[in-house]
Amino acid sequence: MQRQGTPPLFRRGPPAEVRLLVMVALSLALLVLDSQFHVLEPLRRAVAVGMYPFQRAVMAPRDLVQQFNEWINAANRIRTENEALQRQRIELSQVATHAAQLAAENAQLRRLLGVTDTVEQAAVVVEVLYEPANTFQQRLVFNKGSQAGLAPGMPVIDEGGVVGQIVRVTPMASEAALVTDERVSVPVQVLRNGLRLIAFGSNTPGRIEVRYLAANADIKEGDTIVTSGVGGLFPAGLPVAKVLTVERDTASGFARAICEPLAHPERYRHFLVLQVDVARAQSDLQEADTGGSQ
């Protein structure tokens, strides 16, 4: 007779506690063996190699996001650095320009100080505030006025020669007309032979005219004209202009000389105002006129 056994479904194995103890003992044995003899290292490496593709696949979205963020940050950083470099370049260019301007002004001030050694009158250094926008008048406005001892009629010079003449004064500022202004006239003489003349502002910008010359007057192209000292306002010997052309009209018996000023007020900001005694010069001129009329 066949023996009936327990159905496999209900067959019972070792108790769970026994299996737990076996697994714990096996785990402890593997830990001891691995720590002492590294017997599981090849297995660990094989498992790591097998898991690496899956790890990279799982980490790929994170790596893509990280690379994108790094690219955005790098682009922003490069843009910021470029802007900083551009700003630094502009600032350095401004500093260099300002330094060159200061060097030029210092050199011009030294030349002006050298001019004061050759002029007997006291002088005041002035700086241009602005140039009035007027096509019919050539003027400069300075930063000093009557409080600094300036008065209308005082001559303005630079290292090149006569620049103009003070025509209006306020306590804190003054206005000067250039020698090329039509309203300015300067008693001059030819340096070569001492011929006395009168120089006037011209209708041609940047030019001076010597008018009312005799047709046979001894003046020629290239002559230098300087102040004659007549009238007492402009000290004698200050350079004024250089003769460019001489126009002689034999029919009328007169001649005219076109001259180029030796001073260059458009190039500089600082000038000297000679503190001549304007009141005395005017009184001497009036006395001379009165004596001549008598």
PDB file of all heavy atoms in Angstrom, residues 122-159:
ATOM      1  N   ALA A 122      52.253 143.589 -14.031  1.00  0.00           N
ATOM      2  CA  ALA A 122      51.696 142.463 -13.289  1.00  0.00           C
ATOM      3  C   ALA A 122      50.647 141.768 -14.142  1.00  0.00           C
ATOM      4  O   ALA A 122      50.002 142.388 -14.998  1.00  0.00           O
ATOM      5  CB  ALA A 122      51.090 142.952 -11.973  1.00  0.00           C
ATOM      6  N   ALA A 123      50.475 140.482 -13.927  1.00  0.00           N
ATOM      7  CA  ALA A 123      49.561 139.700 -14.755  1.00  0.00           C
ATOM      8  C   ALA A 123      48.738 138.771 -13.879  1.00  0.00           C
ATOM      9  O   ALA A 123      49.161 138.361 -12.794  1.00  0.00           O
ATOM     10  CB  ALA A 123      50.331 138.901 -15.801  1.00  0.00           C
ATOM     11  N   VAL A 124      47.545 138.442 -14.377  1.00  0.00           N
ATOM     12  CA  VAL A 124      46.625 137.522 -13.700  1.00  0.00           C
ATOM     13  C   VAL A 124      46.357 136.354 -14.641  1.00  0.00           C
ATOM     14  O   VAL A 124      46.029 136.568 -15.815  1.00  0.00           O
ATOM     15  CB  VAL A 124      45.306 138.220 -13.323  1.00  0.00           C
ATOM     16  CG1 VAL A 124      44.339 137.219 -12.689  1.00  0.00           C
ATOM     17  CG2 VAL A 124      45.571 139.383 -12.388  1.00  0.00           C
ATOM     18  N   VAL A 125      46.516 135.143 -14.118  1.00  0.00           N
ATOM     19  CA  VAL A 125      46.215 133.954 -14.911  1.00  0.00           C
ATOM     20  C   VAL A 125      44.706 133.711 -14.866  1.00  0.00           C
ATOM     21  O   VAL A 125      44.107 133.656 -13.785  1.00  0.00           O
ATOM     22  CB  VAL A 125      46.965 132.719 -14.382  1.00  0.00           C
ATOM     23  CG1 VAL A 125      46.595 131.474 -15.187  1.00  0.00           C
ATOM     24  CG2 VAL A 125      48.456 132.950 -14.428  1.00  0.00           C
ATOM     25  N   VAL A 126      44.083 133.578 -16.027  1.00  0.00           N
ATOM     26  CA  VAL A 126      42.643 133.345 -16.120  1.00  0.00           C
ATOM     27  C   VAL A 126      42.405 132.047 -16.890  1.00  0.00           C
ATOM     28  O   VAL A 126      43.255 131.598 -17.662  1.00  0.00           O
ATOM     29  CB  VAL A 126      41.921 134.518 -16.812  1.00  0.00           C
ATOM     30  CG1 VAL A 126      42.014 135.773 -15.971  1.00  0.00           C
ATOM     31  CG2 VAL A 126      42.485 134.755 -18.202  1.00  0.00           C
ATOM     32  N   GLU A 127      41.231 131.478 -16.673  1.00  0.00           N
ATOM     33  CA  GLU A 127      40.829 130.244 -17.356  1.00  0.00           C
ATOM     34  C   GLU A 127      39.525 130.490 -18.101  1.00  0.00           C
ATOM     35  O   GLU A 127      38.637 131.208 -17.613  1.00  0.00           O
ATOM     36  CB  GLU A 127      40.649 129.114 -16.349  1.00  0.00           C
ATOM     37  CG  GLU A 127      40.277 127.779 -16.985  1.00  0.00           C
ATOM     38  CD  GLU A 127      40.127 126.678 -15.958  1.00  0.00           C
ATOM     39  OE1 GLU A 127      40.323 126.972 -14.757  1.00  0.00           O
ATOM     40  OE2 GLU A 127      39.802 125.546 -16.343  1.00  0.00           O
ATOM     41  N   VAL A 128      39.398 129.899 -19.268  1.00  0.00           N
ATOM     42  CA  VAL A 128      38.204 130.078 -20.093  1.00  0.00           C
ATOM     43  C   VAL A 128      37.043 129.318 -19.466  1.00  0.00           C
ATOM     44  O   VAL A 128      37.127 128.111 -19.205  1.00  0.00           O
ATOM     45  CB  VAL A 128      38.447 129.587 -21.529  1.00  0.00           C
ATOM     46  CG1 VAL A 128      37.171 129.699 -22.355  1.00  0.00           C
ATOM     47  CG2 VAL A 128      39.562 130.396 -22.180  1.00  0.00           C
ATOM     48  N   LEU A 129      35.935 130.040 -19.206  1.00  0.00           N
ATOM     49  CA  LEU A 129      34.714 129.384 -18.748  1.00  0.00           C
ATOM     50  C   LEU A 129      33.926 128.833 -19.921  1.00  0.00           C
ATOM     51  O   LEU A 129      33.512 127.685 -19.920  1.00  0.00           O
ATOM     52  CB  LEU A 129      33.857 130.369 -17.949  1.00  0.00           C
ATOM     53  CG  LEU A 129      34.330 130.719 -16.543  1.00  0.00           C
ATOM     54  CD1 LEU A 129      33.393 131.734 -15.914  1.00  0.00           C
ATOM     55  CD2 LEU A 129      34.410 129.471 -15.679  1.00  0.00           C
ATOM     56  N   TYR A 130      33.708 129.655 -20.916  1.00  0.00           N
ATOM     57  CA  TYR A 130      33.004 129.220 -22.118  1.00  0.00           C
ATOM     58  C   TYR A 130      33.240 130.237 -23.218  1.00  0.00           C
ATOM     59  O   TYR A 130      33.748 131.344 -22.982  1.00  0.00           O
ATOM     60  CB  TYR A 130      31.504 129.041 -21.855  1.00  0.00           C
ATOM     61  CG  TYR A 130      30.766 130.306 -21.480  1.00  0.00           C
ATOM     62  CD1 TYR A 130      30.160 131.119 -22.449  1.00  0.00           C
ATOM     63  CD2 TYR A 130      30.664 130.702 -20.148  1.00  0.00           C
ATOM     64  CE1 TYR A 130      29.483 132.271 -22.101  1.00  0.00           C
ATOM     65  CE2 TYR A 130      29.994 131.849 -19.789  1.00  0.00           C
ATOM     66  CZ  TYR A 130      29.399 132.636 -20.767  1.00  0.00           C
ATOM     67  OH  TYR A 130      28.736 133.782 -20.414  1.00  0.00           O
ATOM     68  N   GLU A 131      32.860 129.856 -24.422  1.00  0.00           N
ATOM     69  CA  GLU A 131      32.985 130.723 -25.594  1.00  0.00           C
ATOM     70  C   GLU A 131      31.587 131.025 -26.096  1.00  0.00           C
ATOM     71  O   GLU A 131      30.867 130.113 -26.514  1.00  0.00           O
ATOM     72  CB  GLU A 131      33.799 130.041 -26.677  1.00  0.00           C
ATOM     73  CG  GLU A 131      34.056 130.920 -27.892  1.00  0.00           C
ATOM     74  CD  GLU A 131      34.969 130.236 -28.891  1.00  0.00           C
ATOM     75  OE1 GLU A 131      35.450 129.131 -28.592  1.00  0.00           O
ATOM     76  OE2 GLU A 131      35.189 130.810 -29.981  1.00  0.00           O
ATOM     77  N   PRO A 132      31.144 132.283 -26.044  1.00  0.00           N
ATOM     78  CA  PRO A 132      29.784 132.599 -26.484  1.00  0.00           C
ATOM     79  C   PRO A 132      29.562 132.194 -27.936  1.00  0.00           C
ATOM     80  O   PRO A 132      30.427 132.379 -28.793  1.00  0.00           O
ATOM     81  CB  PRO A 132      29.705 134.125 -26.313  1.00  0.00           C
ATOM     82  CG  PRO A 132      30.758 134.455 -25.317  1.00  0.00           C
ATOM     83  CD  PRO A 132      31.861 133.466 -25.546  1.00  0.00           C
ATOM     84  N   ALA A 133      28.378 131.620 -28.184  1.00  0.00           N
ATOM     85  CA  ALA A 133      28.025 131.182 -29.540  1.00  0.00           C
ATOM     86  C   ALA A 133      27.498 132.383 -30.330  1.00  0.00           C
ATOM     87  O   ALA A 133      26.307 132.669 -30.340  1.00  0.00           O
ATOM     88  CB  ALA A 133      26.983 130.069 -29.476  1.00  0.00           C
ATOM     89  N   ASN A 134      28.421 133.101 -30.959  1.00  0.00           N
ATOM     90  CA  ASN A 134      28.063 134.279 -31.743  1.00  0.00           C
ATOM     91  C   ASN A 134      28.968 134.321 -32.966  1.00  0.00           C
ATOM     92  O   ASN A 134      30.195 134.444 -32.832  1.00  0.00           O
ATOM     93  CB  ASN A 134      28.222 135.557 -30.906  1.00  0.00           C
ATOM     94  CG  ASN A 134      27.590 136.761 -31.577  1.00  0.00           C
ATOM     95  OD1 ASN A 134      27.529 136.857 -32.796  1.00  0.00           O
ATOM     96  ND2 ASN A 134      27.117 137.700 -30.761  1.00  0.00           N
ATOM     97  N   THR A 135      28.370 134.210 -34.143  1.00  0.00           N
ATOM     98  CA  THR A 135      29.166 134.193 -35.366  1.00  0.00           C
ATOM     99  C   THR A 135      29.703 135.565 -35.736  1.00  0.00           C
ATOM    100  O   THR A 135      30.634 135.659 -36.546  1.00  0.00           O
ATOM    101  CB  THR A 135      28.324 133.652 -36.528  1.00  0.00           C
ATOM    102  OG1 THR A 135      27.139 134.452 -36.665  1.00  0.00           O
ATOM    103  CG2 THR A 135      27.905 132.210 -36.256  1.00  0.00           C
ATOM    104  N   PHE A 136      29.131 136.630 -35.166  1.00  0.00           N
ATOM    105  CA  PHE A 136      29.555 137.983 -35.526  1.00  0.00           C
ATOM    106  C   PHE A 136      30.588 138.550 -34.560  1.00  0.00           C
ATOM    107  O   PHE A 136      31.255 139.530 -34.872  1.00  0.00           O
ATOM    108  CB  PHE A 136      28.338 138.923 -35.566  1.00  0.00           C
ATOM    109  CG  PHE A 136      27.284 138.501 -36.547  1.00  0.00           C
ATOM    110  CD1 PHE A 136      26.162 137.817 -36.128  1.00  0.00           C
ATOM    111  CD2 PHE A 136      27.437 138.747 -37.910  1.00  0.00           C
ATOM    112  CE1 PHE A 136      25.194 137.415 -37.027  1.00  0.00           C
ATOM    113  CE2 PHE A 136      26.473 138.341 -38.814  1.00  0.00           C
ATOM    114  CZ  PHE A 136      25.350 137.672 -38.374  1.00  0.00           C
ATOM    115  N   GLN A 137      30.707 137.967 -33.384  1.00  0.00           N
ATOM    116  CA  GLN A 137      31.680 138.424 -32.400  1.00  0.00           C
ATOM    117  C   GLN A 137      32.513 137.240 -31.930  1.00  0.00           C
ATOM    118  O   GLN A 137      31.977 136.166 -31.681  1.00  0.00           O
ATOM    119  CB  GLN A 137      30.982 139.077 -31.197  1.00  0.00           C
ATOM    120  CG  GLN A 137      30.232 140.352 -31.547  1.00  0.00           C
ATOM    121  CD  GLN A 137      29.553 140.947 -30.330  1.00  0.00           C
ATOM    122  OE1 GLN A 137      29.454 140.303 -29.291  1.00  0.00           O
ATOM    123  NE2 GLN A 137      29.106 142.181 -30.447  1.00  0.00           N
ATOM    124  N   GLN A 138      33.812 137.453 -31.818  1.00  0.00           N
ATOM    125  CA  GLN A 138      34.721 136.407 -31.362  1.00  0.00           C
ATOM    126  C   GLN A 138      35.164 136.764 -29.949  1.00  0.00           C
ATOM    127  O   GLN A 138      36.025 137.618 -29.758  1.00  0.00           O
ATOM    128  CB  GLN A 138      35.910 136.286 -32.313  1.00  0.00           C
ATOM    129  CG  GLN A 138      35.481 135.975 -33.747  1.00  0.00           C
ATOM    130  CD  GLN A 138      36.660 135.901 -34.688  1.00  0.00           C
ATOM    131  OE1 GLN A 138      37.724 135.416 -34.338  1.00  0.00           O
ATOM    132  NE2 GLN A 138      36.466 136.389 -35.913  1.00  0.00           N
ATOM    133  N   ARG A 139      34.544 136.102 -28.983  1.00  0.00           N
ATOM    134  CA  ARG A 139      34.755 136.447 -27.580  1.00  0.00           C
ATOM    135  C   ARG A 139      35.115 135.201 -26.760  1.00  0.00           C
ATOM    136  O   ARG A 139      34.851 134.070 -27.162  1.00  0.00           O
ATOM    137  CB  ARG A 139      33.493 137.090 -26.984  1.00  0.00           C
ATOM    138  CG  ARG A 139      32.986 138.320 -27.747  1.00  0.00           C
ATOM    139  CD  ARG A 139      33.904 139.497 -27.552  1.00  0.00           C
ATOM    140  NE  ARG A 139      33.510 140.655 -28.327  1.00  0.00           N
ATOM    141  CZ  ARG A 139      32.696 141.620 -27.876  1.00  0.00           C
ATOM    142  NH1 ARG A 139      32.180 141.524 -26.665  1.00  0.00           N
ATOM    143  NH2 ARG A 139      32.400 142.656 -28.637  1.00  0.00           N
ATOM    144  N   LEU A 140      35.706 135.440 -25.586  1.00  0.00           N
ATOM    145  CA  LEU A 140      35.978 134.420 -24.584  1.00  0.00           C
ATOM    146  C   LEU A 140      35.547 134.954 -23.227  1.00  0.00           C
ATOM    147  O   LEU A 140      35.750 136.137 -22.932  1.00  0.00           O
ATOM    148  CB  LEU A 140      37.464 134.043 -24.541  1.00  0.00           C
ATOM    149  CG  LEU A 140      38.062 133.335 -25.766  1.00  0.00           C
ATOM    150  CD1 LEU A 140      39.558 133.137 -25.569  1.00  0.00           C
ATOM    151  CD2 LEU A 140      37.376 132.015 -26.030  1.00  0.00           C
ATOM    152  N   VAL A 141      34.965 134.096 -22.415  1.00  0.00           N
ATOM    153  CA  VAL A 141      34.552 134.473 -21.062  1.00  0.00           C
ATOM    154  C   VAL A 141      35.481 133.768 -20.084  1.00  0.00           C
ATOM    155  O   VAL A 141      35.637 132.536 -20.128  1.00  0.00           O
ATOM    156  CB  VAL A 141      33.085 134.098 -20.797  1.00  0.00           C
ATOM    157  CG1 VAL A 141      32.701 134.423 -19.356  1.00  0.00           C
ATOM    158  CG2 VAL A 141      32.167 134.849 -21.762  1.00  0.00           C
ATOM    159  N   PHE A 142      36.089 134.567 -19.163  1.00  0.00           N
ATOM    160  CA  PHE A 142      37.059 134.038 -18.215  1.00  0.00           C
ATOM    161  C   PHE A 142      36.444 133.903 -16.824  1.00  0.00           C
ATOM    162  O   PHE A 142      35.386 134.471 -16.535  1.00  0.00           O
ATOM    163  CB  PHE A 142      38.293 134.937 -18.155  1.00  0.00           C
ATOM    164  CG  PHE A 142      39.019 135.053 -19.469  1.00  0.00           C
ATOM    165  CD1 PHE A 142      39.391 136.292 -19.971  1.00  0.00           C
ATOM    166  CD2 PHE A 142      39.317 133.919 -20.205  1.00  0.00           C
ATOM    167  CE1 PHE A 142      40.061 136.403 -21.175  1.00  0.00           C
ATOM    168  CE2 PHE A 142      39.980 134.021 -21.407  1.00  0.00           C
ATOM    169  CZ  PHE A 142      40.350 135.264 -21.902  1.00  0.00           C
ATOM    170  N   ASN A 143      37.142 133.193 -15.956  1.00  0.00           N
ATOM    171  CA  ASN A 143      36.629 132.877 -14.621  1.00  0.00           C
ATOM    172  C   ASN A 143      36.989 133.914 -13.572  1.00  0.00           C
ATOM    173  O   ASN A 143      36.734 133.694 -12.390  1.00  0.00           O
ATOM    174  CB  ASN A 143      37.157 131.511 -14.175  1.00  0.00           C
ATOM    175  CG  ASN A 143      38.678 131.497 -14.025  1.00  0.00           C
ATOM    176  OD1 ASN A 143      39.377 132.288 -14.652  1.00  0.00           O
ATOM    177  ND2 ASN A 143      39.183 130.600 -13.199  1.00  0.00           N
ATOM    178  N   LYS A 144      37.603 135.037 -13.957  1.00  0.00           N
ATOM    179  CA  LYS A 144      37.964 136.077 -13.000  1.00  0.00           C
ATOM    180  C   LYS A 144      37.477 137.421 -13.511  1.00  0.00           C
ATOM    181  O   LYS A 144      37.381 137.636 -14.722  1.00  0.00           O
ATOM    182  CB  LYS A 144      39.476 136.106 -12.765  1.00  0.00           C
ATOM    183  CG  LYS A 144      40.012 134.841 -12.102  1.00  0.00           C
ATOM    184  CD  LYS A 144      41.516 134.917 -11.865  1.00  0.00           C
ATOM    185  CE  LYS A 144      42.027 133.628 -11.226  1.00  0.00           C
ATOM    186  NZ  LYS A 144      43.483 133.659 -11.017  1.00  0.00           N
ATOM    187  N   GLY A 145      37.178 138.311 -12.537  1.00  0.00           N
ATOM    188  CA  GLY A 145      36.660 139.621 -12.901  1.00  0.00           C
ATOM    189  C   GLY A 145      37.293 140.732 -12.103  1.00  0.00           C
ATOM    190  O   GLY A 145      38.493 140.698 -11.788  1.00  0.00           O
ATOM    191  N   SER A 146      36.465 141.716 -11.740  1.00  0.00           N
ATOM    192  CA  SER A 146      36.993 142.902 -11.063  1.00  0.00           C
ATOM    193  C   SER A 146      37.566 142.578  -9.693  1.00  0.00           C
ATOM    194  O   SER A 146      38.465 143.280  -9.210  1.00  0.00           O
ATOM    195  CB  SER A 146      35.876 143.945 -10.922  1.00  0.00           C
ATOM    196  OG  SER A 146      34.777 143.406 -10.202  1.00  0.00           O
ATOM    197  N   GLN A 147      37.072 141.530  -9.026  1.00  0.00           N
ATOM    198  CA  GLN A 147      37.635 141.168  -7.726  1.00  0.00           C
ATOM    199  C   GLN A 147      39.085 140.710  -7.841  1.00  0.00           C
ATOM    200  O   GLN A 147      39.833 140.773  -6.861  1.00  0.00           O
ATOM    201  CB  GLN A 147      36.793 140.058  -7.082  1.00  0.00           C
ATOM    202  CG  GLN A 147      35.420 140.525  -6.634  1.00  0.00           C
ATOM    203  CD  GLN A 147      34.665 139.437  -5.884  1.00  0.00           C
ATOM    204  OE1 GLN A 147      35.139 138.300  -5.789  1.00  0.00           O
ATOM    205  NE2 GLN A 147      33.498 139.772  -5.361  1.00  0.00           N
ATOM    206  N   ALA A 148      39.487 140.236  -9.021  1.00  0.00           N
ATOM    207  CA  ALA A 148      40.880 139.832  -9.249  1.00  0.00           C
ATOM    208  C   ALA A 148      41.714 140.966  -9.822  1.00  0.00           C
ATOM    209  O   ALA A 148      42.880 140.761 -10.171  1.00  0.00           O
ATOM    210  CB  ALA A 148      40.931 138.622 -10.177  1.00  0.00           C
ATOM    211  N   GLY A 149      41.129 142.175  -9.951  1.00  0.00           N
ATOM    212  CA  GLY A 149      41.874 143.321 -10.460  1.00  0.00           C
ATOM    213  C   GLY A 149      41.773 143.524 -11.948  1.00  0.00           C
ATOM    214  O   GLY A 149      42.573 144.285 -12.509  1.00  0.00           O
ATOM    215  N   LEU A 150      40.817 142.898 -12.626  1.00  0.00           N
ATOM    216  CA  LEU A 150      40.673 143.059 -14.073  1.00  0.00           C
ATOM    217  C   LEU A 150      39.764 144.247 -14.378  1.00  0.00           C
ATOM    218  O   LEU A 150      38.867 144.584 -13.604  1.00  0.00           O
ATOM    219  CB  LEU A 150      40.093 141.782 -14.704  1.00  0.00           C
ATOM    220  CG  LEU A 150      40.852 140.477 -14.440  1.00  0.00           C
ATOM    221  CD1 LEU A 150      40.266 139.353 -15.254  1.00  0.00           C
ATOM    222  CD2 LEU A 150      42.336 140.643 -14.727  1.00  0.00           C
ATOM    223  N   ALA A 151      40.020 144.860 -15.534  1.00  0.00           N
ATOM    224  CA  ALA A 151      39.246 146.022 -15.958  1.00  0.00           C
ATOM    225  C   ALA A 151      39.162 146.022 -17.481  1.00  0.00           C
ATOM    226  O   ALA A 151      40.032 145.467 -18.165  1.00  0.00           O
ATOM    227  CB  ALA A 151      39.889 147.323 -15.452  1.00  0.00           C
ATOM    228  N   PRO A 152      38.114 146.639 -18.047  1.00  0.00           N
ATOM    229  CA  PRO A 152      38.012 146.721 -19.507  1.00  0.00           C
ATOM    230  C   PRO A 152      39.208 147.458 -20.108  1.00  0.00           C
ATOM    231  O   PRO A 152      39.681 148.456 -19.557  1.00  0.00           O
ATOM    232  CB  PRO A 152      36.713 147.500 -19.720  1.00  0.00           C
ATOM    233  CG  PRO A 152      35.920 147.260 -18.487  1.00  0.00           C
ATOM    234  CD  PRO A 152      36.917 147.176 -17.374  1.00  0.00           C
ATOM    235  N   GLY A 153      39.713 146.938 -21.209  1.00  0.00           N
ATOM    236  CA  GLY A 153      40.849 147.534 -21.888  1.00  0.00           C
ATOM    237  C   GLY A 153      42.155 146.792 -21.659  1.00  0.00           C
ATOM    238  O   GLY A 153      43.118 146.994 -22.402  1.00  0.00           O
ATOM    239  N   MET A 154      42.210 145.939 -20.638  1.00  0.00           N
ATOM    240  CA  MET A 154      43.456 145.209 -20.361  1.00  0.00           C
ATOM    241  C   MET A 154      43.710 144.176 -21.451  1.00  0.00           C
ATOM    242  O   MET A 154      42.786 143.484 -21.891  1.00  0.00           O
ATOM    243  CB  MET A 154      43.383 144.530 -18.996  1.00  0.00           C
ATOM    244  CG  MET A 154      43.395 145.494 -17.830  1.00  0.00           C
ATOM    245  SD  MET A 154      43.393 144.619 -16.231  1.00  0.00           S
ATOM    246  CE  MET A 154      43.537 146.001 -15.107  1.00  0.00           C
ATOM    247  N   PRO A 155      44.948 144.040 -21.894  1.00  0.00           N
ATOM    248  CA  PRO A 155      45.261 143.065 -22.948  1.00  0.00           C
ATOM    249  C   PRO A 155      45.342 141.643 -22.404  1.00  0.00           C
ATOM    250  O   PRO A 155      45.711 141.421 -21.250  1.00  0.00           O
ATOM    251  CB  PRO A 155      46.622 143.532 -23.464  1.00  0.00           C
ATOM    252  CG  PRO A 155      47.221 144.278 -22.331  1.00  0.00           C
ATOM    253  CD  PRO A 155      46.099 144.900 -21.571  1.00  0.00           C
ATOM    254  N   VAL A 156      45.010 140.697 -23.264  1.00  0.00           N
ATOM    255  CA  VAL A 156      45.087 139.267 -22.951  1.00  0.00           C
ATOM    256  C   VAL A 156      46.145 138.659 -23.859  1.00  0.00           C
ATOM    257  O   VAL A 156      46.135 138.878 -25.075  1.00  0.00           O
ATOM    258  CB  VAL A 156      43.728 138.568 -23.167  1.00  0.00           C
ATOM    259  CG1 VAL A 156      43.816 137.091 -22.790  1.00  0.00           C
ATOM    260  CG2 VAL A 156      42.630 139.264 -22.366  1.00  0.00           C
ATOM    261  N   ILE A 157      47.070 137.897 -23.271  1.00  0.00           N
ATOM    262  CA  ILE A 157      48.156 137.318 -24.058  1.00  0.00           C
ATOM    263  C   ILE A 157      48.314 135.840 -23.702  1.00  0.00           C
ATOM    264  O   ILE A 157      47.809 135.372 -22.678  1.00  0.00           O
ATOM    265  CB  ILE A 157      49.493 138.062 -23.819  1.00  0.00           C
ATOM    266  CG1 ILE A 157      49.965 137.857 -22.375  1.00  0.00           C
ATOM    267  CG2 ILE A 157      49.364 139.542 -24.145  1.00  0.00           C
ATOM    268  CD1 ILE A 157      51.367 138.392 -22.106  1.00  0.00           C
ATOM    269  N   ASP A 158      49.006 135.113 -24.567  1.00  0.00           N
ATOM    270  CA  ASP A 158      49.503 133.783 -24.247  1.00  0.00           C
ATOM    271  C   ASP A 158      50.958 133.725 -24.679  1.00  0.00           C
ATOM    272  O   ASP A 158      51.557 134.757 -25.011  1.00  0.00           O
ATOM    273  CB  ASP A 158      48.644 132.693 -24.898  1.00  0.00           C
ATOM    274  CG  ASP A 158      48.712 132.714 -26.415  1.00  0.00           C
ATOM    275  OD1 ASP A 158      49.486 133.508 -26.992  1.00  0.00           O
ATOM    276  OD2 ASP A 158      47.972 131.939 -27.056  1.00  0.00           O
ATOM    277  N   GLU A 159      51.547 132.509 -24.705  1.00  0.00           N
ATOM    278  CA  GLU A 159      52.963 132.433 -25.057  1.00  0.00           C
ATOM    279  C   GLU A 159      53.231 132.794 -26.501  1.00  0.00           C
ATOM    280  O   GLU A 159      54.365 133.101 -26.879  1.00  0.00           O
ATOM    281  CB  GLU A 159      53.511 131.034 -24.777  1.00  0.00           C
ATOM    282  CG  GLU A 159      52.895 129.938 -25.622  1.00  0.00           C
ATOM    283  CD  GLU A 159      51.693 129.325 -24.947  1.00  0.00           C
ATOM    284  OE1 GLU A 159      51.107 129.975 -24.055  1.00  0.00           O
ATOM    285  OE2 GLU A 159      51.335 128.191 -25.289  1.00  0.00           O
TER     286      GLU A 159
END
